[in-house]
Amino acid sequence: MNRKMKKNKIFIYIACSTLLLSTGCKKFLEHQPDDRTELNNPVKVAELLANAYPHGNYIPFAEAMSDNAGDKGTTSKLLPNASPWNYVDQIDATSEDTPPYYWNACYKAIAAANYALETIDKAGNTAEYSASKGEALVARAYAHFMLVTLFAKAYDPATAAYDPGIPYVTLPQKVVEGDYTRGTVASVYDNIEKDLLAGLPLIKDQSYRVPKYHFTTQAAHAFATRFYLFKRAYQKVIDHANDAFPGATIVDNLRQWNTTYNVLGYYELQALYTNSTEPANLLLQESKSNWGSSYASYNYGLSSAVRATVFNPGNNPTGKALAMTTKIFGGTETVYNIPKFREHEVKETISATIGDAYIMVPLFTSEEVLFNRAEANAMLGNNTQAITDLDAYLSKRIVGYSVTADKFTVTKATNFFPNVSASDALVATVINFKRQEYMHEGLRWLDVVRLKIPITHVSANGQSTISLGANDPRRLVQIPQDAIAAGLAANPR
Amino acid sequence: MRRVALLLCAIFWAILARADARQANGKPERLDNYLKKIEQAYKVSFVYDAAEINKTMVLDVPTKLTSITESLDQLKQKNISYRLVGNQVILKIVEVPRNNSKKEITIKGTVRDKKDGAILPGVSIREKGTANAVSTNARGEYQITVKDNAVLSFASIGYKTVDISVAGKTLINISLEEDANELKDVNIVSTGYQNLNKKLFTGAATALKGSDVKQDGITDVSRMLEGRVAGVSVQNVSGTFGAAPKIRVRGATSITGENKPLWVVDGVILEDVVNISNEQLSSGDVSTLIGSSVAGINADDIESFNILKDAAATAQYGARAMNGVVVITTKKGRIGKPLISYTGNFSTYLKPTYDSYNIMNSSDQMSVYSELARKGWLNHSDASRAADGGVFTKMYQLINTYDATSGAFGLANTPEARNTFLSRYATANTDWFDVLFKNSLMQEHGISVSSGTDKSQLYISTSYLNDNGWAVGNDVERYTANVNAVFNLSDKLTVNFITTGSIRNQKAPGTLGRVSNPVEGKYSRDFDINPFSYALNTSRTLTAFDQNGNRENFARNFADFNILNELENNSLDLSMLDFKLQGGLNYKITKHLKYDFLASMRYVKSGNEHKVRENSNMANAYRAGYSPDDSYIQDNNRFLFRDPEHPEAQPIVVLPYGGFYNTTDDFLKSYMVRNSLEYDNTFNEKHLVNIYAFQEMRMADRQTRSMIGYGYQYDKGGVPFIDPNIVRQATLSNLSYYSMNHRYDRFAAFMTRAAYSYDGKYSFNATGRYDGSNQLGSSATARWLPTWNISGAWNIDKENFFENSSINKILNRATIRATYGLTASLGSATNSALVLRNASALRPYTNETESVMNIEYIENSDLTWEKQYETNIGVDLGFFKDKLNLTVDLYNRNGFDLISPLRTSGIGGQYLTTANYADMNTKGIEVTISGPIIKTSEWNWRSNFNFGYNKNKVTKLSSPQSIFNLVTADGGPQEGFPYRGLYSVEFTGLNHDTGVPEFINEKGVKSGDVYMQSLDTKYLKYEGPTDPKLTGGFYNTVSYKGFTFSSLFTFSAGNKIRLNPAFSTFYSDLDAMPNEFKDRWTLPGDELKTNIPSIPYLETAADFSGTYPYNTYNYSTVRVADGGFIRLKQLSLSYAIPAKILKSIGANNASISAVANNFWLIYSDKKLKGQDPEFFASGGVALPIPKQYTLSLKVGF
């Protein structure tokens, strides 16, 4: 009996100490296993948002799909950008420069924005977080916009409510695989607009340490011009462009191709083009990509034929060569290139031979704002305003620019683009300049899908051609196979 | 399972058959059979005390039963009386009146250990045939009163039982001899938590005595387990001191985890200083040198190993137990006068020779170079400017050198002059093994003192090891100390303290981390100067010394290089301090209830200094291209700096003076506290009950810090000269010049275990454990995990029917064990909550970078531990009075919730994530046959044969694997295949026109171009697992008088090995080539005769651009060998010096032994051509296990 009581007592002691310990345990076990950071203050939220931008590169596949890429016929071997040039779906999501890699990079950026927004919400949406909230919303809108542009049909008011979009993600995922549907292009556009408009006024440029790598108010307006151009809301394009560059301030923010650039050496131009000190760069982002070291030598790229079509003086409405033409380096077709990208090699050890290659991609430039405003004005029939912008552009592109002789006119446009209205001729002029401007930058593809520009890819020996009609289903990049496996509807093929 | 059942049936059948045969014979009859007959004839039943009446006794009985009384009267001949009650017959022994002529006497004496004369307390002394027994006190003394004709039986666990006739003596002093039979030692099973009576233990475990497995000359105790325990595989992937072997208990349990067994020393889990996975062990990186957690343990201090294998054995470790547990118990002090032991080992290693490798001699090599030159390689313009070059580079550079004063070139550019120059090297035939290896001496001295009284016992040991290095640039010294003290403060309270410490200083060739390059399909390591790799891979045309005997340089990284110079000037100095304090308290609350407290603290500090002196090639490479100026080198030397602020300027030197002083430090602080209660009781002598419960908390803090010291000037009094540009160069590449990080391990566990044994026949065990850890991240739900286990054992030999049957003359011991339970381990994932890490933005200019926060892993709220259900069925059999023991274990393990990379839709923000979704099944069998085959006073032969066979299959997995992942030496996982399978690119033959190898590529097309990063792996050929399926050992020891001869054979089979990569598109004049190059393709048509690819023309190779057919060839079906081998691991002969000689020197015992370790690789696949089937030639600090001869001297005073 005595022993039993004693035993009972002991068990009570154990039970009690266990209880005591278990509360102590909670704290004991709450220790983080390593030096990971916790997302618990405005500074850290802001730092997380540096990752709310896609750090993958769309240029390699977008450029190859567009008519900026010709077959140089250098070799019969498979080359990295052969698949997009031939409109063959790329499925490897682990290699950079592919659509699935870019898809993942966009959603990774969206996740960063969502984790930031969740933290801001939990902290009660206080004022100290408001600039970050603005950045997160706009960045989230941008990543979704790029996804819907590449992986879904271009916005068409008639069909957008039925065209499948891409999943619009607004909450952080906390399980291994979430449950997502594509929605429609219209619903995605609605969400983008909502985020963009909610975020834009909150942005505070002064809150950024390196503003060129974040959505400044200016960059956000630039994004808005692109968005509304796609949405065909032309007045809004003009409004946002004017907000980005009030008055005529845009002229001084264009790349000084016909002056400063014109005297730069190869490496100097390469260094300046994607430098944050260049005022034309409104938003830059680092991106893991082999594009920097390889774009010159890719088999599908700036071939002699493309060079002639795009850059020959006779092939644009001014009749003069733009300044970029003089900076096509390489000497032979196999390596023709304008030095726009400098590879940034990130190494893991002090003397490693190989590292991860990065390039800085200009996501928005002053030129685009100018082009978008010009196009919108032309679409709305404000031809004079459109021409003002085109003149501003040409003043920085024609070497030895003459305000009088080189003044652009509707006639110059209609002469070059006969049989269309004055407005359409101006739009065509904008698109023509844009094609030259964004050689090697992939943005040509955005115009190709938006304006349904037909494309023909002809093999070097001329024996096979691939034609991409206005409504060819291959204009939509295929949804990554892993996303299809997880239940998303594939694009038709 | 079925096989075991069949085996049991066979045993029963044999028993029954024998019993039947007896009955027909009549006359002499066993009592139980006779009683059974009566029972059947008269429908009665017998009641008797089996302890009193031996039912196996034989008595004469009439052939026919006439009446019940007459039949029962026969029992009287054995003094058995009977009483009939109803239909029950009660039997009793009739008390025989004591023979008064036998008087009682009192005997006194002392019991000692025969080996060292130490006093033995707790020895039981029994008067044979009676219940009269006493045991020795703490001073080893006893006193017993017995009849003067009695026989005394002295017994103690771990010692041979001795019977002595009293014959009127009143003083009997006796020495007991240790029982060498390993199985008998296991009457107590140490689980690390408890020392359990074997009757209560139901798991699969193997106990080894430290002295039995100690291999003189082998410094790492983990290597001693090789070939000793069925189911434990030890792969010596590197033999460098401090590098752990790849140890697996019952194979792998995790796809991504470490798969290392848990080491437990004196009840405390031994934490690793750095976390190194089994794959990393073979990488050759510096961290592997501190990879062995037991490298600081002096083998002489080890009393025993217990290897816990199945879920029942490891149940107490719950969620840490999935990979098995190795429990080490160290020596404690013995009661008696101080006993001093000295052990000295003197070892020498054999240099490797070219005989065992397949490498071209210099003249063959030179002829290959000539072909290279003919084919456009090694041409004047390229070779003279080569970053790395041998004799051709040297020749062209001499031709280019014009001496203005003498007006002559370094070498005339004539065919004659060139031939003369080259002929010296063609005949050089440099023996790099001779240059870089030496027959070194390793010495190891250990002294221990053991002493004690009944109140306190003390064991102190210290050891010193010095290995002056087999390979140039390697040496080690280690000091260890160990103090183990036990104080019995009262009958109830005992405290003990263990303090161990070790210090290690080691030198190794300087090395950088290994980098994988999946683009080309190879691993690379910059500035590798591993002597073994260098000897294997460097052309024998190169010479270490020129004609004048001075060191001769060749070009490397555009700078001068001589391996001996580099080994002197580029070195790693590793120092390690490992200190452990441990204290325990044991309080007997009641006779049956015990409280135990254990606390331990361990502190490890390891420092690693990589000293790159200014004369080294690694430092000079940073200056190559300037002085003399050479704009070609300036443009091509990747160690120069192209300033982004001046993009058009020539790259500049950033290390104008000095070298590097790079340091890496690792710290570990770990604490552990445990409270436990143990209730142990026996009821009615039949019911053994043991209940054990504990609560424990552990924490381990690890810190790693590293620093790159730029421009340290070793020659100039150690002053750093730092060019700010070198820091800029690094920071612009986002490389930090210093770093520091931590890992925090917090662990709590609660466990209860109940064991019950009935009459020694049936045992049951149930364990439940609840673990908590912080390793999964800060989510409160993922953190806890319950695990459980149930098990049972049936000792058939204790059953009446068995004891009575005559089969026990053959089979004297039989136990069946079975268990089922859940074990777990922590996986590699830590993202039960969002994992964020800060970093610098990866941007090119300093004004553009900022601190950013990267998402490493998004939250996985379902994250949990890796788990496994294990079923184990085991049989332990003893034949011929335990002369032969057989243990067989069969197991089936179903691993689930295993962590593996998983591809997702990417929409959540993480394309490749880690999740608990993979499953794996493992089946295996383990067999041990052992025993003292011959045991006489002069001859003794013990033998142990064991093997484990283990087959594992990943049953669920969808993680993407690239071709490169699957074809390299470590292999990779795929669903439906082993957890690490080796795959090959299918070789289809050599191209008819060029002799370039062709394969089935990732698209199923015959081609020279295989995209190694492709995730399309369906055209790869599965070769086999990289881990052996079968491993085992055969150990024999024969002793005659003072001589003992022992041998250990180890074997392994069932795995495939990737041959060392020997082929590449281009060979430089530095490369050593294997002899098979002699059979290479040279002319179209050769492809029908040979699989050895051609040396391509320069133009042919130019067409390869972007493809790597020769690298792919290294990973093709023709470059695979079978991994099976048989090795004579150890041979030893020792002689115990006879007592009379010992007396003259005042010693108690002394022995001298000669040991050969790693003696002979008896069998391995011929395709390996000298490549060690265990060793991964990965460069860095990895060295193979050498052949080693040791002379060992042991003296005890």
Side-chain angles (χ1 to χ4, degrees), chain A residues 310-325:
Chain A
V310 179
F311 291 107
N312 272 5
N315 286 338
N316 78 61
T318 65
K320 285 191 170 178
L322 301 191
M324 293 85 88
T325 318

Side-chain angles (χ1 to χ4, degrees), chain A residues 449-476:
Chain A
V449 292
R450 182 168 59 91
L451 302 171
K452 299 191 175 178
I453 300 169
I455 288 177
T456 309
H457 279 172
V458 184
S459 66
N461 56 16
Q463 281 171 0
S464 69
T465 54
I466 304 167
S467 295
L468 199 70
N471 291 308
D472 194 301
R474 291 174 297 180
R475 284 175 178 269
L476 281 66

Side-chain angles (χ1 to χ4, degrees), chain A residues 27-154:
Chain A
K27 219 159 179 193
F28 179 70
L29 294 177
E30 246 161 28
H31 205 293
Q32 292 283 16
D34 49 30
D35 292 329
R36 58 189 60 180
T37 332
E38 280 174 87
L39 195 56
N40 51 11
N41 66 40
V43 174
K44 291 187 187 172
V45 168
E47 288 182 353
L48 174 62
L49 288 172
N51 280 300
Y53 303 85
H55 289 161
N57 192 0
Y58 53 81
I59 300 175
F61 62 90
E63 188 78 353
M65 288 192 297
S66 79
D67 47 5
N68 274 359
D71 183 1
K72 300 178 186 173
T74 45
T75 164
S76 57
K77 271 191 296 86
L78 197 70
L79 279 173
N81 64 351
S83 298
W85 193 82
N86 289 300
Y87 304 107
V88 170
D89 295 339
Q90 286 170 280
I91 53 175
D92 181 7
T94 51
S95 307
E96 49 265 46
D97 299 342
T98 62
Y101 188 91
Y102 184 68
W103 165 283
N104 293 332
C106 286
Y107 278 115
K108 192 167 185 181
I110 292 164
N114 284 333
Y115 272 110
L117 288 168
E118 185 195 42
T119 309
I120 294 168
D121 264 354
K122 275 189 189 156
N125 270 310
T126 51
E128 53 189 346
Y129 283 106
S130 83
S132 287
K133 186 172 183 177
E135 185 186 9
L137 288 169
V138 176
R140 183 167 82 181
Y142 170 76
H144 282 111
F145 175 77
M146 290 307 288
L147 286 167
V148 77
T149 305
L150 292 166
F151 294 91
K153 268 193 188 169

Side-chain angles (χ1 to χ4, degrees), chain A residues 3 6-7 10-11 14 18 21-22 24-40 43-51 55 77-78 91-95 103-104 107-113 115 167 169 172-178 180 208-210 213-214 264-272 274-277 284-287 342 344-354 358 360 480-484 486 488, chain B residues 512-513 515-517 524 526-527 589-590 592-593 618 622 638-639 642 644 647-648 660 662 677 679 681 695 697-699 708 710 732-735 740-748 750 772-778 783-784 830-831 833-838 841-845 847-855 858-862 902-909 911-915 1003 1009 1011 1013 1015-1016 1103-1107:
Chain A
R3 184 178 288 177
K6 211 170 180 180
K7 227 187 286 173
I10 288 159
F11 280 116
I14 294 173
T18 308
L21 278 167
S22 63
C25 254
K26 190 171 176 303
K27 219 159 179 193
F28 179 70
L29 294 177
E30 246 161 28
H31 205 293
Q32 292 283 16
D34 49 30
D35 292 329
R36 58 189 60 180
T37 332
E38 280 174 87
L39 195 56
N40 51 11
V43 174
K44 291 187 187 172
V45 168
E47 288 182 353
L48 174 62
L49 288 172
N51 280 300
H55 289 161
K77 271 191 296 86
L78 197 70
I91 53 175
D92 181 7
T94 51
S95 307
W103 165 283
N104 293 332
Y107 278 115
K108 192 167 185 181
I110 292 164
Y115 272 110
V169 186
Q173 179 178 300
K174 306 212 163 171
V175 289
V176 171
E177 185 65 276
Y180 300 102
Y208 300 126
R209 191 179 296 266
V210 187
Y213 279 84
H214 296 271
L264 293 180
Y266 186 87
Y267 292 115
E268 286 165 341
L269 179 54
Q270 190 188 56
L272 179 61
T274 56
N275 200 308
S276 60
T277 55
L284 287 163
Q285 277 305 316
E286 65 268 35
S287 132
R342 177 176 172 274
H344 174 53
E345 202 175 20
V346 176
K347 290 179 178 174
E348 276 186 26
T349 60
I350 171 165
S351 47
T353 0
I354 46 173
Y358 282 78
M360 305 303 124
Q481 57 170 3
D482 296 301
I484 296 172
L488 288 200
Chain B
L512 302 169
V515 186
S516 101
N517 178 352
S524 60
D526 282 311
F527 300 111
I589 299 166
T590 70
H592 300 293
L593 186 65
M618 187 169 165
Y622 279 80
R638 63 194 162 95
F639 302 108
R642 194 180 276 278
E648 303 286 337
F660 292 94
N662 302 341
L677 279 172
Y679 175 78
N681 203 350
Q695 164 270 321
M697 279 165 106
R698 287 190 297 106
M699 60 181 278
I708 301 173
Y710 295 108
L732 289 176
S733 295
N734 292 94
L735 178 77
M740 193 263 285
N741 52 62
H742 296 91
R743 292 180 62 87
Y744 305 97
D745 197 339
R746 300 285 182 274
F747 205 92
F750 305 89
S773 165
N774 73 331
Q775 293 298 295
L776 297 168
S778 63
R783 165 184 308 162
W784 292 98
T830 63
N831 59 324
L834 179 70
V835 182
L836 297 164
R837 298 213 191 269
N838 262 77
L842 304 176
R843 299 171 197 155
Y845 304 103
N847 63 341
E848 288 179 358
T849 52
E850 58 184 324
S851 174
V852 300
M853 193 184 282
N854 297 327
I855 298 183
I858 67 163
E859 177 173 334
N860 172 6
S861 55
D862 301 330
L902 179 70
R903 286 187 296 192
T904 74
S905 67
I907 302 169
Y911 170 63
L912 267 182
T913 186
T914 49
K1003 298 191 183 67
D1009 176 17
Y1011 181 46
Q1013 292 173 84
L1015 300 179
D1016 256 325
D1103 286 347
F1104 297 161
S1105 81
T1107 75

